[in-house]
Amino acid sequence: MTVSATGVSKTVLETKFSELTQMPDARGHFGPYGGRFVSETLSFALEELEKTYLSLRDDPDFQAEFDYDLAHYVGRPSPLYHAKRWSESLGGAQIWLKREDLNHTGAHKVNNTIGQALLAKKTGKPRIIAETGAGQHGVASATVAARLGLECDVYMGAEDVERQKLNVYRMRLLGARVIPVESGTRTLKDAMNEALRDWVTNVDNTFYIIGTVAGPHPYPLLVRDFNSVVGREARRQSLEQIGRLPDALIACVGGGSNAMGLFYPFVEDDAVAMFGVEAGGDGVETGRHAAPLTTNAPRGVLHGNRTYLMSDEAGQVSDTHSISAGLDYPGVGPEHALWKDVGRVSYVAANDKEVLEAFRELTHMEGIMPALESAHALAHAKVLAPTMRPDQHIIVNLSGRGDKDIMTVAKIDGIEF
Amino acid sequence: MNRIDQRFSELKQQGRKALIPFITAGDPAPQYTVGFMHALVDAGADIIELGVPFSDPMADGPVIQKACERALKQGTRLIDLMQMVKEFRQADTNTPVVLMGYLNPIERIGYESFADQAADVGVDGVLIVDMPPEEADELGPLLKSRDLAAIFLVAPTTSNERAATICAHGHGYLYYVSLKGVTGAATLNADDVAEHLAPLRGMTDLPLCVGFGIRDGATAAEVAKVADGVIVGSALVNRIAESLDAPETIAGQLKSVLAEMRTAMDA
Ligand SMILES: Cc1ncc(COP(=O)(O)O)c(C=O)c1O
């Protein structure tokens, strides 16, 4: 494969949208992205996981078990809700919310976690570890561990432990150990470093549940597959409720699992526009953000995969900033990197101020309090909808509910509990 | 002939084992590194592994993690390492130098530019912790064409099938990771190491060097009995960490720690 100065390969530019569904290749590459960049000790565990997953992927019994859990434990399908009042006030397209906030534990994260828990069960490992930013993936992991009677340790940046106290306590109630990580920027990326260190050390008895479509192959593949239930449902619901496919999809992007889950089943529907919304933080122009795709960050390697990665000229990973802990990550899943290059998805950013506005607006107008992560997607809906006609339709992934963020918003409002 | 191959063939003739110290470049500050390298050679180092500091050293324990933080705080960059090696070469043209680190700083410089610079300043080998042979198809040939050794890791979890692939791609030496865990982890079991090295002997003529968990003369000597080389990192970096208030004493301390290992290994 020839790679040009911009890091975009010739083969990528010739990729048709319909070919995107065939990714990754056998080595876990999405064009020039993805892969398995890990220390040798983990290669065996990743090969084992890949083998296990590929053998179960098309196994009807495994799928039936997954579907059963999604229906009866998670509460799927989640509704596709027409936000009429908000749409009217914006004066443009009709906005529909895919209600992942109504899932058990309160976010899309649980879909993937249920899937990986089934894999953990198959591999017979008695211990689960996870990394978490906002705490939603940690809560989902602690939940499945409780349900299966497995030991569970969750790594969380010390800064996130502070700003997501509620979820930390939830995890502890569920019986998990939450381990604050003091190194580096004390956020999600450092939690992931620490989880990888744990995994290398305890690889014999530990299953690592990664919470997003990043990390070494096969994680981006299996997390995407498990979360694709979101898009499959949304597609079906759209045909039933709207009578046709939507004109646009919007989802927030941290690592990108909720966006991937919504987008993937629509990849070949060329007429459906897609928008991934990254964390603009103080504004992308300030440099204090977590928006590697929007800002064209150079390609780099972190946490086992090659992707767009915020790093300085010397290759040191940059500090990030976002009001939402779940998007505060310098990289992005490798499949999104490819989708950006081929132009299938437009990646944009919403800054903290716009996010808070969207958070308040949805809460007031629809009685739905979104997670600050999801409010990034809503903030872009506010921009996009007025440019469209009332007979057009947008589906926004409401990836999670805002309970966990009440403290953050209250602090901004100057309220103490 | 690459300096690494040269060194191992000399050692073989002498019936000795390689002693390979690791330090993080720029720790505690860039101006000390070249002096440390010479001190290590004085104490009996055969090859020097020079760590490239990285913001996210996932395969390292707290000792080397903190060394990276100190070096980065002082602004140490990969291009500064190139200058250090260049300076080292002015006085020492014999001792092989291996750069060890993570891929991202190299991705930023660009593979071709990195390989050119490394070859120019007198680097002999490159060990990238998070680049297994499967992901080395771009960088590997660039290193090879400049006679830079691509050194790979083998772990206790590596299957024989994978080990064969790694052996086929490796140059210079194979770095056997003695235990499951990160650098600086506790106990190394020499019998266990010997058991894992045995099948590798049948797969390759590359020298087998062992790292992770070597902390003193006794463990170094034990491992030297079964391996072709002994790699020591955290035990040295620990000394640096303990003497941050008196950095001028560090070179002497590194020398004495390493000399003890040399003596124990050669006994
Ligand atoms: C509600 C919610 N949405 C989105 C995210 C971001 O993750 P991803 O980008 O993988 O969907 C998180 C992560 O914690 C989250 O809790």
Side-chain angles (χ1 to χ4, degrees), chain A residues 159 183-187 189-190 279 286-292 309-312 316-322 327-331, chain B residues 55-56 72:
Chain A
E159 178 172 333
S183 57
T185 55
R186 307 163 85 233
T187 56
K189 99 176 155 67
D190 310 288
T286 65
R288 284 173 51 79
H289 58 79
L309 177 68
M310 290 167 59
S311 70
D312 68 16
Q316 308 301 338
V317 179
S318 309
D319 290 0
T320 53
H321 174 79
S322 169
L327 304 185
D328 212 347
Y329 184 71
Chain B
S55 53
D56 295 82
L72 290 175

Side-chain angles (χ1 to χ4, degrees), chain B residues 5-258:
Chain B
D5 302 333
Q6 178 83 38
R7 179 55 54 103
F8 276 107
S9 93
E10 288 162 13
L11 285 165
K12 198 167 182 181
Q13 279 172 9
Q14 299 162 5
R16 297 166 78 227
K17 301 301 175 72
L19 177 56
I20 309 177
F22 166 98
I23 53 170
T24 300
D27 174 30
Q31 68 265 28
Y32 296 108
T33 304
V34 175
F36 290 175
M37 291 167 78
H38 289 306
L40 293 169
V41 173
D42 288 347
D46 290 301
I47 298 171
I48 292 182
E49 283 187 1
L50 197 55
V52 186
F54 183 49
S55 53
D56 295 82
M58 290 150 292
D60 288 293
V63 171
I64 291 174
Q65 238 185 97
K66 293 221 173 71
C68 285
E69 281 174 22
R70 289 192 293 271
L72 290 175
K73 219 172 180 173
Q74 299 288 327
T76 315
R77 298 157 302 171
L78 181 49
I79 52 171
D80 300 317
L81 267 85
M82 299 294 184
Q83 286 312 308
M84 291 171 189
V85 176
K86 195 171 178 178
E87 199 187 323
F88 175 76
R89 282 277 168 259
Q90 286 167 6
D92 187 330
T93 53
N94 287 324
T95 310
V97 174
V98 171
L99 298 186
M100 178 167 185
Y102 296 80
L103 190 54
N104 201 54
I106 297 172
E107 293 253 326
R108 272 319 292 273
I109 284 192
Y111 289 168
E112 188 128 22
S113 165
F114 167 76
D116 281 341
Q117 291 186 49
D120 275 356
V121 299
V123 168
D124 305 287
V126 176
L127 198 174
I128 302 164
V129 179
D130 56 353
M131 188 186 71
E134 290 87 343
E135 300 289 3
D137 49 358
E138 273 184 72
L139 183 57
L142 295 171
L143 296 177
K144 191 168 181 195
S145 64
R146 289 158 182 80
D147 203 20
L148 293 163
I151 297 160
F152 291 106
L153 302 168
V154 175
T157 52
T158 306
S159 65
N160 284 341
E161 196 187 345
R162 260 191 75 77
T165 308
I166 296 170
C167 288
H169 282 81
H171 298 277
Y173 54 94
L174 274 193
Y175 187 130
Y176 179 72
V177 176
S178 72
L179 42 82
K180 293 168 200 155
V182 291
T183 53
T187 42
L188 168 154
N189 180 333
D191 291 340
D192 200 50
V193 170
E195 210 170 290
H196 277 97
L197 292 186
L200 296 174
R201 293 274 179 214
M203 292 177 199
T204 182
D205 292 331
L206 285 173
L208 307 179
C209 300
V210 175
F212 285 42
I214 292 166
R215 43 196 54 231
D216 52 21
T219 41
E222 225 180 326
V223 170
K225 286 200 187 94
V226 296
D228 302 310
V230 169
I231 302 159
V232 50
S234 293
L236 295 169
V237 176
N238 243 332
R239 285 304 176 101
I240 299 177
E242 284 164 3
S243 305
L244 295 175
D245 49 354
E248 67 285 354
T249 66
I250 293 173
Q253 294 191 51
L254 295 179
K255 217 164 156 172
S256 71
V257 173
L258 203 69

